[in-house]
Amino acid sequence: MYHVILAGGSGTRFWPYSRKNKPKQLLKIIGDKSMIKLTIDRILEFSTIDKIYIVASKTLCELIYKEIPAIIKSNLIVEPQGKNTAPAIGLAAIHLYKKDPNAIMSIYPADQIIENKKEFKKAILLAEKIVEEESSLITIGITPTYPATGYGYIQYTDNNKEYHKVKTFAEKPPYDTAETFLKSGDFLWNAGIFVWSAKQILLDIKELMTDLHESLSAIYDAINTNDYKVVLKQEWDIVKPDSIDYGILEKAKNVYTIPASFKWLDVGSWKSLFDIMKKNKKNYFDGNVITIDTENSLVVSPDKLTAVIGMKDVAIVNVNDATLIMPLGRSEEVKDVVKLLDKEKDKYL
């Protein structure tokens, strides 16, 4: 089995800590290791470095190689532009299929926190076993512990104790709908971790995403030739952005889910980070921070002193050239700030 880490995300909801040239997956958000290093270390519990591939931009691939020189340079797959998960996974699939037509590939985001490595290993190896036995697409599901509105959901039907047939996928729901999902008992959080054969996902792309398949076929033919970079750029320019969930998984008929028992968190926003971090008198502080009469708040100030008085339920992130202040409950909207900066003041990106 080969392991593909999708590391091309820009981490916009973690601005101003996360930037274009140092996005969330390269930050040491928890502990002394970057998010991508934590991801690689989890995989190395049951695999080897030569089986790990990373998909990211050219700049990020260079930064990742600088941080993790043990990674094999040829296993860094450059995508000219971020086009969401379906093209990125397809690009990895053609490289693996070219190398090994029988390749099984597992796919992971680069920026998740997972506790209990034994259970993580157990889920991935079970998925590998299922894929070896039948032509299926496996997604790892997490048993929800609260009505989260920032995660996608998987609804499943009874199949057997170890894995289930997927009935439908649901995007990030409003709170009332998330509560209904939780009470029903047949919904899981969608972890964005997948296992399938390279051949099978390419067959599904051929059937369900024909335009992407045509571009991937042209790129496949150019692999290991002098024309590869030119063909890749030409085809990537016309590839349409799409997620693997919407493009394939919501339409395919051979999708199964494994309910995983490991503790999982997608560190997607300042609010999700606040939720998991140990609190000091109901607050989370990092850096040079003084507070008076402040409750249920996150304050991050690595570069200079930040003093906070009389605040509640807020996030304050203060770095050298930018400051973010918002209600914790509006953390998802940070990406909208980044969109405005992209148009007006991109020096802060």
Side-chain angles (χ1 to χ4, degrees):
M1 181 164 55
Y2 300 86
H3 307 273
V4 177
I5 301 172
L6 303 182
S10 55
T12 54
R13 289 176 294 169
F14 253 90
W15 184 89
Y17 217 47
S18 177
R19 301 296 180 97
K20 269 184 180 178
N21 291 332
K22 192 130 187 184
K24 179 176 55 175
Q25 55 269 33
L26 289 172
L27 297 176
K28 297 173 182 177
I29 293 174
I30 293 177
D32 59 355
K33 292 182 180 180
S34 68
M35 300 299 289
I36 193 164
K37 183 68 166 63
L38 291 172
T39 304
I40 289 172
D41 285 352
R42 273 196 301 275
I43 297 166
L44 291 178
E45 292 283 324
F46 57 95
S47 189
T48 52
I49 196 72
D50 60 300
K51 294 293 181 69
I52 296 176
Y53 286 70
I54 296 173
V55 183
S57 68
K58 185 176 186 293
T59 299
L60 286 179
C61 281
E62 290 170 355
L63 289 170
I64 290 166
Y65 185 70
K66 187 176 180 180
E67 181 181 346
I68 309 168
I71 199 83
I72 295 172
K73 206 165 188 178
S74 60
N75 287 10
L76 297 169
I77 300 174
V78 173
E79 52 175 351
Q81 297 170 267
K83 294 289 182 91
N84 212 324
T85 52
I89 290 169
L91 184 62
I94 59 172
H95 277 271
L96 290 176
Y97 187 75
K98 190 86 167 186
K99 177 185 178 71
D100 178 3
N102 297 313
I104 292 174
M105 57 191 293
S106 51
I107 298 104
Y108 317 86
D111 52 3
Q112 296 183 341
I113 295 170
I114 292 174
E115 295 182 9
N116 196 332
K117 292 178 181 178
K118 287 184 179 179
E119 290 299 322
F120 172 74
K121 172 184 175 181
K122 180 180 174 183
I124 300 301
L125 295 183
L126 172 60
E128 180 187 24
K129 180 183 175 184
I130 296 166
V131 169
E132 285 175 340
E133 293 173 354
E134 54 184 295
S135 299
S136 54
L137 307 177
I138 304 294
T139 177
I140 304 298
I142 308 296
T143 302
T145 54
Y146 67 97
T149 58
Y151 298 151
Y153 285 75
I154 304 165
Q155 186 180 24
Y156 62 87
T157 57
D158 287 335
N159 189 40
N160 64 42
K161 290 181 180 180
E162 290 188 305
Y163 64 101
H164 308 287
K165 177 81 172 173
V166 170
K167 184 177 181 180
T168 187
F169 288 84
E171 296 299 317
K172 299 172 183 177
Y175 185 84
D176 290 349
T177 304
E179 273 196 317
T180 303
F181 288 172
L182 196 65
K183 290 174 183 176
S184 73
D186 59 355
F187 279 85
L188 302 168
W189 287 334
N190 186 354
I193 300 172
F194 313 109
V195 181
W196 44 59
S197 70
K199 179 180 180 180
Q200 184 60 51
I201 195 63
L202 291 172
L203 286 172
D204 284 310
I205 290 173
K206 183 177 182 180
E207 178 185 352
L208 300 170
M209 303 182 74
T210 53
D211 289 348
L212 175 59
H213 182 265
E214 288 179 10
S215 290
L216 290 175
S217 295
I219 299 167
Y220 176 86
D221 290 340
I223 292 174
N224 299 329
T225 73
N226 294 331
D227 297 329
Y228 175 75
K229 289 184 180 179
V230 173
V231 174
L232 174 64
K233 186 181 183 308
Q234 287 175 342
E235 294 300 329
W236 218 249
D237 283 344
I238 61 174
V239 164
K240 296 175 183 175
D242 210 342
S243 71
I244 198 72
D245 302 70
Y246 182 75
I248 301 295
L249 298 177
E250 291 183 12
K251 301 168 186 174
K253 297 176 181 179
N254 56 336
V255 185
Y256 296 86
T257 187
I258 294 174
S261 57
F262 51 78
K263 188 175 179 182
W264 167 90
L265 182 77
D266 179 11
V267 189
S269 67
W270 289 111
K271 173 66 166 63
S272 64
L273 177 65
F274 178 75
D275 287 343
I276 63 159
M277 298 306 289
K278 290 182 180 178
K279 312 297 190 296
N280 175 14
K281 296 181 181 178
K282 298 184 179 179
N283 296 295
Y284 172 68
F285 306 141
D286 186 17
N288 197 2
V289 177
I290 295 174
T291 65
I292 299 173
D293 192 26
T294 295
E295 295 179 35
N296 199 49
S297 295
L298 173 146
V299 186
V300 176
S301 185
D303 304 313
K304 50 193 171 183
L305 173 65
T306 298
V308 185
I309 303 172
M311 303 300 288
K312 185 177 181 180
D313 302 326
V314 299
I316 299 171
V317 184
N318 192 8
V319 297
N320 265 330
D321 63 344
T323 302
L324 170 71
I325 305 170
M326 65 180 173
L328 268 169
R330 297 183 67 175
S331 291
E332 295 292 320
E333 296 176 49
V334 177
K335 62 182 181 294
D336 298 327
V337 174
V338 174
K339 288 178 183 176
L340 291 173
L341 291 172
D342 200 24
K343 294 176 181 177
E344 299 173 12
K345 298 178 180 179
D346 65 354
K347 68 177 181 178
Y348 295 107
L349 296 177

